[in-house]
Amino acid sequence: MANKYWESVRVMLGGEPRKAQPAEYTEEAKTIHFYKKSEKQDFGALKLEAREHQKKKYWLKRRWIVLLSINLLFTVSYWFDIQILEGALTASRMLGFHLIDLNSALQVMLAHKHIIVNLFIGTGTVFVLWLLLGGRTFCSWACPYHFLAENAERLHVYLVEKKKVTDHTFHRGVRTVFWALFALMAFVTGYTVFETLSPVGIVSRALIYGPGLALGWVVLLLLFEVFYSRRAWCRYICPIGLTYGFVGVFSPLHVTYRLANCHHEGECRKVCEVPHVLDCIIKGRAPEAQLDIGADCTRCGMCVDVCPSGALQFEIKGLRKIM
Ligand code: SF4
Ligand code: SF4
């Protein structure tokens, strides 16, 4: 059990997903793999079915409604001076409760070199909330940059398909290096360098207080992602994603994979921002009949939307599937 969590963290930090040893396969998984080997599947038909399925985009619609509502709530609260919610996504106060983004709090405390009690209390609520909701759920359900980057990603994928641009990938481990680097810079300089560069804070503040020059940096990032490297900021740089990834390691909410339902046509990996978490869908890989997808998963639901055979589903531990 502990191994499962450690493996999830190792892969999130940049390690390659490990192939299970023969002894690690459960009898149930072995039986399913055995029957799958003898089946001849029509992947062409399955891909068409997956595309039809994808058009419905149930989770995408729900997620965008939630993401836009959260961010617009800050704007509306500011403009109409509703004191139920004050501040921005990085630091706010709701009904008197302080809500501080975990990564921002960490940066501030490192810069000040001591634990600031109010900040620490403010992170408590946020920590529990995102622990229950899945850690990186913050990324795909609340982060305003995610919304822009997701649309930039569509354009990037379209241009790659049309052979107008080439996708450039980097080692995923650089995100871990950046996480450590930003923490070190805050500690050494006494200044939260990352907060100045973070498109999350920039976009959030622009939505509330109006656009500023810093938005130019966000545009540059998006152009880089459209023309050079798919989802580069979230995949290779953003320490917020990694911080919330740690929060999600023990989360009860996750995407579950059911080997028996899977046709291995791989549509889910094509739409996933972090396809390494879906290595288990490769034919012959899953050592168990049912697996939880790792902590780096943003719980965006794109794979659930696209899977034509219901092999990927949201699940809360101990409860039945949500959908
Ligand atoms: S990785 Fe960072 S920028 Fe990307 S969605 Fe998560 S918090 Fe937002
Ligand atoms: S595994 Fe599925 S839910 Fe998780 S990030 Fe990838 S597409 Fe989204």
Side-chain angles (χ1 to χ4, degrees):
M1 187 65 93
N3 263 350
K4 188 176 82 177
Y5 293 122
W6 163 241
E7 177 62 10
S8 171
V9 170
R10 191 186 65 77
V11 172
M12 187 167 68
L13 291 175
E16 279 308 303
R18 195 174 65 83
K19 279 188 194 161
Q21 297 300 310
E24 293 173 81
Y25 283 76
T26 63
E27 284 309 314
E28 194 183 358
K30 278 185 202 164
T31 312
I32 299 171
H33 285 304
F34 174 78
Y35 282 110
K36 277 173 183 253
K37 263 187 202 159
S38 54
E39 269 180 40
K40 283 205 166 51
Q41 289 169 337
D42 179 357
F43 287 132
L46 282 165
K47 278 180 182 167
L48 286 178
E49 199 185 333
R51 272 183 211 124
E52 276 309 304
H53 197 75
Q54 191 182 23
K55 281 183 195 151
K56 298 195 178 92
K57 296 182 174 160
Y58 290 122
W59 284 105
L60 180 105
K61 287 174 193 159
R62 288 169 197 172
R63 190 161 54 76
W64 280 12
I65 289 170
V66 173
L67 188 151
L68 293 173
S69 304
I70 292 173
N71 286 282
L72 289 178
L73 196 60
F74 283 108
T75 313
V76 171
S77 299
Y78 176 73
W79 283 100
F80 294 98
D81 197 20
I82 305 167
Q83 283 168 10
I84 298 170
L85 183 68
E86 297 159 276
L89 199 60
T90 41
S92 58
R93 204 169 64 161
M94 191 166 75
L95 300 167
F97 282 102
H98 288 277
L99 302 170
I100 318 279
D101 164 58
L102 299 176
N103 197 70
S104 306
L106 181 70
Q107 298 277 326
V108 172
M109 286 195 260
L110 282 170
H112 284 79
K113 298 175 189 56
H114 69 93
I115 292 175
I116 303 165
V117 180
N118 277 350
L119 267 189
F120 195 69
I121 295 169
T123 56
T125 330
V126 175
F127 179 84
V128 173
L129 180 77
W130 293 110
L131 170 70
L132 294 175
L133 293 178
R136 285 205 73 192
T137 318
F138 171 84
C139 290
S140 57
W141 291 76
C143 174
Y145 183 72
H146 190 284
F147 181 77
L148 300 177
E150 193 175 331
N151 286 294
E153 182 182 13
R154 274 175 225 286
L155 184 54
H156 175 82
V157 170
Y158 171 80
L159 291 173
V160 169
E161 272 171 16
K162 295 280 167 207
K163 301 199 176 3
K164 302 281 184 207
V165 300
T166 311
D167 184 36
H168 298 82
T169 56
F170 303 94
H171 194 287
R172 288 184 297 103
V174 293
R175 184 178 59 164
T176 309
V177 176
F178 270 113
W179 190 96
L181 205 64
F182 283 125
L184 189 69
M185 279 198 278
F187 188 76
V188 172
T189 64
Y191 181 68
T192 53
V193 181
F194 172 70
E195 292 307 317
T196 318
L197 296 172
S198 166
V200 186
I202 294 173
V203 177
S204 178
R205 286 189 293 275
L207 282 171
I208 301 165
Y209 310 117
L213 276 181
L215 270 186
W217 164 239
V218 177
V219 172
L220 282 180
L221 279 178
L222 290 169
L223 288 174
F224 185 76
E225 295 187 1
V226 170
F227 295 108
Y228 196 78
S229 180
R230 182 176 176 176
R231 294 304 294 266
W233 176 267
C234 299
R235 282 183 174 176
Y236 309 117
I237 301 172
C238 187
I240 304 177
L242 190 52
T243 302
Y244 281 90
F246 284 121
V247 176
V249 173
F250 298 108
S251 173
L253 175 71
H254 47 78
V255 171
T256 298
Y257 170 67
R258 284 183 181 77
L259 175 60
N261 292 28
C262 181
H263 294 299
H264 309 283
E265 85 295 347
E267 291 298 307
C268 52
R269 281 167 61 88
K270 288 186 199 155
V271 295
C272 183
E273 178 193 329
V274 281
H276 50 275
V277 299
L278 288 172
D279 251 45
C280 58
I281 72 106
I282 297 169
K283 207 167 189 179
R285 282 283 178 91
E288 292 170 40
Q290 187 170 321
L291 290 165
D292 297 345
I293 301 303
D296 214 8
C297 164
T298 69
R299 280 75 163 172
C300 70
M302 303 261 265
C303 57
V304 181
D305 273 346
V306 78
C307 177
S309 53
L312 292 154
Q313 302 275 345
F314 274 114
E315 199 164 69
I316 298 176
K317 264 197 182 80
L319 296 179
R320 283 162 59 87
K321 67 177 186 183
I322 300 173
M323 189 186 150

